[in-house]
Each structure stands twice: as C-alpha cells, then as structure tokens.
Amino acid sequence: DTEVTQTPKHLVMGMTNKKSLKCEQHMGHRAMYWYKQKAKKPPELMFVYSYEKLSINESVPSRFSPECPNSSLLNLHLHALQPEDSALYLCASSQDAGWGAQNEKLFFGSGTQLSVL
Amino acid sequence: ELKVEQNPLFLSMQEGKNYTIYCNYSTTSDRLYWYRQDPGKSLESLFVLLSNGAVKQEGRLMASLDTKARLSTLHITAAVHDLSATYFCAVNTDKLIFGTGTRLQVFP
C-alpha cells in the first residue's frame, strides 16, 4: 500500500462550523505533513509531525489545530475559519523522521478541497 | 529566506517539440525534487536528485541538478498531450520549499 488517503475530498463549511480533515497512511512512515495550496500557487507547509510529535508549526493561525493520534493517522481540526482559508489541503508522509524526513521523498494524498462560506 | 523560482511560469508547446523548464534556488542544498500536479489533483513525485551532477530520466522527461549553480532543469523531449500539467521543483533545507510552478500545456 503506497497510498496516502485523505477524507473528505470536498468540504464546504460556514465560518462558525467545526470540522476535521483526516489523513491516513499504512506505509510505516514516521513523518506526516499538512500543506495548504491556493489555486495556481505552490503548496505551503503548515505542520510537520515526526514520530507523532509536532515538530514544525509554520506560524499557522490557531483556528487550525493538528492532531496525530498514532503513526498512521493525521487530523486537522478546523474552527472559525475565514473565507481566505479556502484552499486545497494536502497531507503527505515520508519514511524518515526528524529533519532527515525532509530529505526523503514525500508521498501526497489527493487532498481536501475546502470552501469556507 | 530560501527562494525557489521557476521559469517559465507558463509554457504552451506543440506536440513533438522539445523544451526545458528551469528551477533556480537561493541557498545551498544538495537535494532537489520534481513533482507533477494535474488540475485539482495531488502531487506526483517525478524525480529525486540527490547530488551535484545527478541526472535522471523517465520517458520523455529528464531532470538534472547543478548544485554549484543552484539550478535544476527539467527537459521535455518530443512533448505529448499527456504531459500537460503543472510541474513543481522543490528544494530541501530544513523543510521542503516548492518552486513557483510551471504550467505546461501541450497542443496538437
């Protein structure tokens, strides 16, 4: 299994809603990532988890809350989002952990297209 | 701050033609990645270049890395419509930073 699975594929939410994005991989990877991608722009790193611990937070607003319940799962909890948060949210994983993980190939999920109304 | 720039940003080319996409980056790194993204889809890893002078080829695509010049190229040979996509390079320092992207459109 070389897939990173993300659910849901599409999500529409109001600014007062609370929702969660889910990501799962069964490749035994120890590093997992959240990226945000606006239309026609490159992906931007949000969070990195290494061995289930948050290792990088790219100054992301607190309305985005990541969670890594175990080495195979990664969640992104959303609360009180703004319309400008509408984007494609990509989860990725890589084999190694820590800084070394950044040297490894990232496997990306198919993403969640989020629209905030 | 690391900057990763690609050019061109948009490329429209005829089937059968050759072209090169350039990726320049602003700080020392010996690891560079190329990804492909179809509209509304995820990123697919194409190449991982791990050292100066590295060259990798897959089908009609060939990637190379010159760490001294801080330059990577993605060469397209005899383009076909299926290659139409956005191509990103990405550079590793303490985190993976993506280039600006090149949107490639191949027409008959």
Side-chain angles (χ1 to χ4, degrees):
Chain A
D1 184 358
T2 58
E3 281 192 351
V4 177
T5 304
Q6 288 187 245
T7 55
K9 294 193 183 304
H10 302 275
L11 179 62
V12 179
M13 60 186 291
M15 290 189 284
T16 58
N17 292 159
K18 286 185 181 181
K19 297 287 184 182
S20 296
L21 309 184
K22 297 185 183 302
C23 175
E24 189 169 3
Q25 57 88 14
H26 295 288
M27 295 179 277
H29 288 176
R30 305 316 300 262
M32 296 186 77
Y33 312 76
W34 281 114
Y35 280 84
K36 172 182 177 179
Q37 186 178 24
K38 302 283 274 185
K40 300 185 180 178
K41 296 292 185 183
E44 295 178 354
L45 182 65
M46 299 174 72
F47 303 104
V48 180
Y49 272 84
S50 170
Y51 284 99
E52 302 163 42
K53 287 185 169 35
L54 183 65
S55 61
I56 293 179
N57 176 343
E58 288 290 298
S59 302
V60 178
S62 60
R63 57 185 184 268
F64 296 91
S65 175
E67 178 196 18
C68 189
N70 60 56
S71 60
S72 299
L73 294 174
L74 186 66
N75 299 321
L76 186 62
H77 302 298
L78 314 172
H79 174 54
L81 294 194
Q82 304 297 311
E84 58 264 30
D85 297 321
S86 299
L88 180 67
Y89 287 84
L90 293 162
C91 172
S93 69
S94 64
Q95 185 172 19
D96 206 345
W99 296 119
Q102 300 296 338
N103 296 331
E104 299 291 328
K105 184 169 72 172
L106 267 63
F107 292 79
F108 282 86
S110 55
T112 294
Q113 188 65 55
L114 174 67
S115 297
V116 182
L117 304 179
Chain B
E1 181 184 334
L2 171 62
K3 290 187 178 178
V4 186
E5 295 181 342
Q6 291 179 232
N7 72 83
L9 296 181
F10 179 75
L11 175 57
S12 181
M13 58 188 298
Q14 194 171 20
E15 280 187 330
K17 298 293 187 183
N18 304 331
Y19 208 83
T20 300
I21 298 170
Y22 297 89
C23 172
N24 290 92
Y25 52 98
S26 62
T27 193
T28 302
S29 175
D30 60 359
R31 280 163 168 74
L32 188 134
Y33 308 78
W34 283 96
Y35 285 86
R36 168 184 170 145
Q37 187 175 36
D38 291 293
K41 303 292 185 182
S42 188
L43 289 100
E44 174 192 354
S45 177
L46 295 175
F47 300 108
V48 180
L49 302 168
L50 297 178
S51 61
N52 186 41
V55 177
K56 291 197 174 179
Q57 182 162 5
E58 180 75 32
R60 300 175 187 275
L61 300 178
M62 183 173 71
S64 66
L65 178 61
D66 181 343
T67 57
K68 293 179 182 176
R70 299 180 186 171
L71 171 69
S72 180
T73 61
L74 181 66
H75 186 72
I76 302 156
T77 302
V80 292
H81 179 71
D82 285 351
L83 290 179
S84 299
T86 299
Y87 292 85
F88 291 101
C89 63
V91 175
N92 157 257
T93 54
D94 59 347
K95 53 192 174 187
L96 199 62
I97 302 297
F98 283 84
T100 44
T102 297
R103 190 155 70 96
L104 172 64
Q105 191 172 52
V106 181
F107 59 92

